[in-house]
């Protein structure tokens, strides 16, 4: 077919669509006259002078529902993906296209951002608009999100708007196109719609993940940087799969480091922030088929069913370092058997369960372990302690090469110093803040600590050598008398504020019970644990 015939056919298609639109407009009652003409005012004739008023479908004659849009946006999740945000904005934008002359997406974005939004709302709004400008509006069909290649017509009484770039009209008519050009925002969509989805625009950036985790985790900036990037890439793969594209494998990792350095708390806060389903499994308790204990396939099946067949999830394998040890006198090396059992899952292969075959190709496995047999450096040192930092360290600790090599990244957490422990005590949801909250909720008493207590508490907790967990242990003991005092204050009939001050001199004796010298015993060689 010659290019001339192609142009003629395209011209006929455009003209036919225009005629259909005109017929749809003429079929709506009341569209032939304006309001003044229906009232019998002869001075106003829609056929003479002035532009004919634009038809407004009956369903859009209400006042601008912008306030309702803002209420719905504020009720949405302020983290995760942007699909629901795109859906709400698409519906309102369709209203604007029929109700007003036109409003571009950037103008609507500025209007929304000029209103107060909860924390994280601005990021979600920007992400949603970036997606809509690139790919056009979206529409929900049950549980399926469809990216529309043409602007939707939510008012079904008229056909969809003709949709073609200016270049088509220029080829047919030159500069004298009889059809009005598309609004600028639709030209952007036409230009961009054939380009691949940019997944990163629809997920939380790694920098924001790290920034959030730093509110709760102290002294582990390098570890948080590495983990945040791994999780960001995992979320991008999740978007690719949800839009029917091919995705890469998750970058499985192991968080290593001394007990109490923040590994478990990091993952807990991560799950809360991103609203991710997390399957927690104590690795040493996994058993092979036919043995008593936690059967891995059953655990996967139960989790899969409970989370409505989620294709993307986070699996936390706790105490993975214990898989390298072997009980004396045991006839079978269960740790090695568990490692072999997990190999297929680490490769992303489907898992057969009583609930069906589970697709775990985008399940991110994150192991945690102290690997205390690999403490570095030995003995007393000003250098912060670490444990396993390389794949060779994992193998020295007893993990099989086949298992260790499927772990892409080893993220070492460092032991705390007095400075980092002081930082821990000032973080959100720190042990001190938890205790204060407990006193307030239990007894309606405001608990306060003398500033000098923090330095002493940080110093003592390092000697207990269990990290942040030591703070909970010490506070639980030294504050025992204060619980009784708070109970007494609660019963007191007083209209004034109920406060309780904790002074260092009053708790020093309790601190001394934990102030013991470290044992100078050298750590046993790693070979003893293999």
């Amino acid at each position: 077919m010659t290019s001339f015939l192609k142009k003629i056919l395209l011209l006929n298609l455009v003209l036919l669509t225009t005629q259909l639109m005109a017929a749809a407009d003429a079929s709506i009652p009341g569209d032939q006259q304006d309001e003044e003409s229906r009232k019998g005012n002869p001075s106003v004739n829609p056929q003479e002078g002035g532009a004919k008023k634009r038809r407004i479908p009956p369903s859009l004659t209400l006042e601008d529902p912008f306030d309702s849009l803002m209420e719905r946006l504020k009720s949405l999740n302020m983290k995760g993906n942007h699909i629901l945000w795109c859906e709400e904005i698409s519906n309102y934008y369709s209203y604007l296209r029929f109700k007003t002359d036109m409003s571009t997406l950037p103008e609507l974005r500025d209007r929304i951002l000029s209103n107060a939004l909860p924390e994280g709302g601005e990021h979600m709004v920007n992400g949603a608009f970036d997606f809509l400008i690139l790919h056009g509006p979206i529409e929900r069909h049950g549980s399926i999100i469809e990216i529309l290649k043409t602007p939707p017509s939510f008012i079904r009484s008229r056909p969809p708007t003709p949709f073609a770039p200016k270049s088509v009209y220029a080829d047919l008519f030159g500069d004298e196109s009889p059809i009005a050009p598309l609004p600028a925002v639709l030209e952007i969509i036409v230009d961009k719609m054939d380009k691949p989805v940019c997944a990163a625009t629809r997920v939380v950036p790694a920098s924001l993940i790290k920034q959030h985790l730093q509110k709760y985790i102290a002294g582990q900036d390098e570890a948080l940087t590495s983990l945040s990037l791994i999780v960001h890439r995992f979320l991008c793969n999740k978007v690719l799969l949800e839009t029917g594209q091919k995705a890469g494998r998750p970058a499985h990792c192991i968080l290593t480091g001394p007990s109490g350095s923040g590994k478990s708390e990091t993952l807990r806060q991560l799950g809360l922030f991103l609203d991710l389903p997390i399957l927690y499994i104590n690795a040493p308790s996994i058993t092979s088929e036919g043995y008593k204990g936690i059967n891995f396939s059953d655990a996967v099946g139960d989790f899969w069913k409970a989370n409505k067949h989620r294709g993307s999830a986070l699996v936390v394998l706790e105490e993975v370092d214990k898989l390298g040890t072997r009980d004396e006198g045991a006839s079978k090396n269960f740790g090695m058997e568990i490692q072999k059992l997990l190999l297929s899952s680490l490769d992303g292969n489907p898992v057969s369960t009583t609930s069906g075959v589970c697709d775990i190709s985008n399940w991110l496995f994150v192991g945690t372990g102290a690997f205390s047999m690999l403490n570095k450096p030995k003995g007393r040192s000003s250098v912060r302690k670490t444990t396993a930092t390389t794949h060779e360290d994992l193998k020295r600790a007893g993990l099989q090469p086949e298992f260790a090599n499927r772990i892409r990244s080893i993220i070492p957490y460092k032991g705390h110093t007095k400075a980092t422990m002081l930082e821990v005590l000032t973080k959100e949801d720190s042990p001190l803040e938890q205790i204060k909250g407990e006193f307030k909720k239990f007894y309606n008493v405001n608990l306060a600590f003398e500033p000098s207590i923090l330095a002493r508490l940080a110093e003592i907790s390092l000697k207990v050598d269990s990290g942040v967990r030591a703070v909970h242990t010490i506070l639980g003991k030294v504050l025992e008398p204060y619980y009784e005092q708070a109970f007494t204050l609660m019963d007191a009939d007083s209209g004034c504020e109920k406060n309780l001050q904790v002074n260092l001199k009053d708790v020093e004796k309790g601190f001394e019970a934990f102030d013991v010298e470290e044992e100078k015993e050298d750590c046993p060689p790693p070979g003893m644990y293999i």
Side-chain angles (χ1 to χ4, degrees), residues 202-214:
R202 298 174 56 183
V203 301
V204 183
S207 58
L208 191 60
I209 296 174
K210 177 184 175 181
Q211 181 181 341
H212 177 79
L213 293 177
Q214 284 177 319

Side-chain angles (χ1 to χ4, degrees), residues 37-274:
S37 180
R38 283 197 296 272
K39 292 180 179 179
N41 186 346
S43 64
V44 180
N45 188 342
Q47 307 299 327
E48 299 179 8
K52 181 180 176 181
K53 289 190 176 181
R54 189 174 187 176
R55 174 183 61 81
I56 299 176
S59 60
L60 294 178
T61 55
L62 300 176
E63 293 190 6
D64 185 353
F66 181 77
D67 291 340
S68 298
L69 169 68
M70 292 304 302
E71 290 179 7
R72 290 194 298 274
L73 292 181
K74 291 176 182 178
S75 68
L76 296 178
N77 194 342
M78 297 295 160
K79 49 199 174 188
N81 64 49
H82 306 87
I83 290 298
L84 292 179
W85 292 75
C86 291
E87 184 182 358
E88 293 291 351
I89 294 170
S90 291
N91 279 281
Y92 180 75
Y93 182 65
S94 176
Y95 167 89
L96 289 180
R97 290 178 55 239
F98 286 100
K99 179 71 175 176
T100 65
D101 291 336
M102 192 59 203
S103 177
T104 65
L105 285 175
E107 289 172 347
L108 179 56
R109 167 162 48 189
D110 292 342
R111 185 181 179 190
I112 292 175
L113 292 178
S114 66
N115 290 263
L117 288 166
E119 182 181 359
E122 182 175 345
H123 166 74
M124 299 303 292
V125 168
N126 284 323
F129 274 96
D130 289 344
F131 177 81
L132 291 175
I133 289 175
L134 284 174
H135 308 292
I138 64 171
E139 195 171 59
R140 180 181 290 276
H141 299 284
S143 61
I144 300 174
I145 298 294
E146 178 183 353
I147 300 175
L148 302 177
K149 295 302 183 184
T150 59
S153 177
F154 292 95
I155 311 303
R156 299 303 178 191
S157 61
R158 68 180 294 174
T161 305
F163 191 57
K166 290 178 182 177
S167 58
V168 172
Y169 302 127
D171 288 342
L172 291 171
F173 308 106
D175 294 333
E176 301 298 325
S177 172
I179 300 178
L182 292 173
V185 64
L186 298 187
E187 286 293 338
I188 293 175
I189 296 174
V190 173
D191 292 339
K192 300 291 186 181
M193 69 180 186
D194 291 331
K195 295 185 178 181
V197 173
C198 186
T201 64
R202 298 174 56 183
V203 301
V204 183
S207 58
L208 191 60
I209 296 174
K210 177 184 175 181
Q211 181 181 341
H212 177 79
L213 293 177
Q214 284 177 319
K215 295 179 182 178
Y216 305 93
I217 309 299
Q220 309 294 351
D221 289 352
E222 291 182 17
L224 297 184
T225 298
S226 300
L227 180 62
S228 297
L229 182 56
I230 288 173
V231 173
H232 171 76
R233 292 168 58 194
F234 160 74
L235 294 175
C236 287
N237 280 335
K238 179 174 180 287
V239 169
L240 293 178
L241 292 173
E242 289 173 349
T243 54
Q245 301 182 68
K246 185 177 180 180
R249 289 183 180 179
H252 307 311
C253 61
I254 290 182
L255 312 185
T256 69
S259 177
S261 54
K263 303 182 295 294
S264 299
E265 182 64 13
T266 297
L267 297 174
R268 187 179 78 87
Q269 294 295 343
L270 189 64
L272 293 174
F273 178 54
L274 298 177

Side-chain angles (χ1 to χ4, degrees), residues 120 146 189 210 271 274 299 317 357 382 397 427 466 483:
E146 178 183 353
I189 296 174
K210 177 184 175 181
L274 298 177
L317 296 174
V357 178
S382 58
K427 291 287 184 181
S466 59
Y483 280 90

Side-chain angles (χ1 to χ4, degrees), residues 12 26 33 37 50 59 68 117 128 163 191 198 232 268 310 316 328 369 385 387 394 499 503 515 526:
N12 289 333
Q33 300 179 359
S37 180
S59 60
S68 298
L117 288 166
F163 191 57
D191 292 339
C198 186
H232 171 76
R268 187 179 78 87
R310 289 282 190 105
V316 177
E328 293 295 332
K385 287 186 177 181
T387 55
L394 298 184
N499 300 312
N503 299 311
D515 190 3

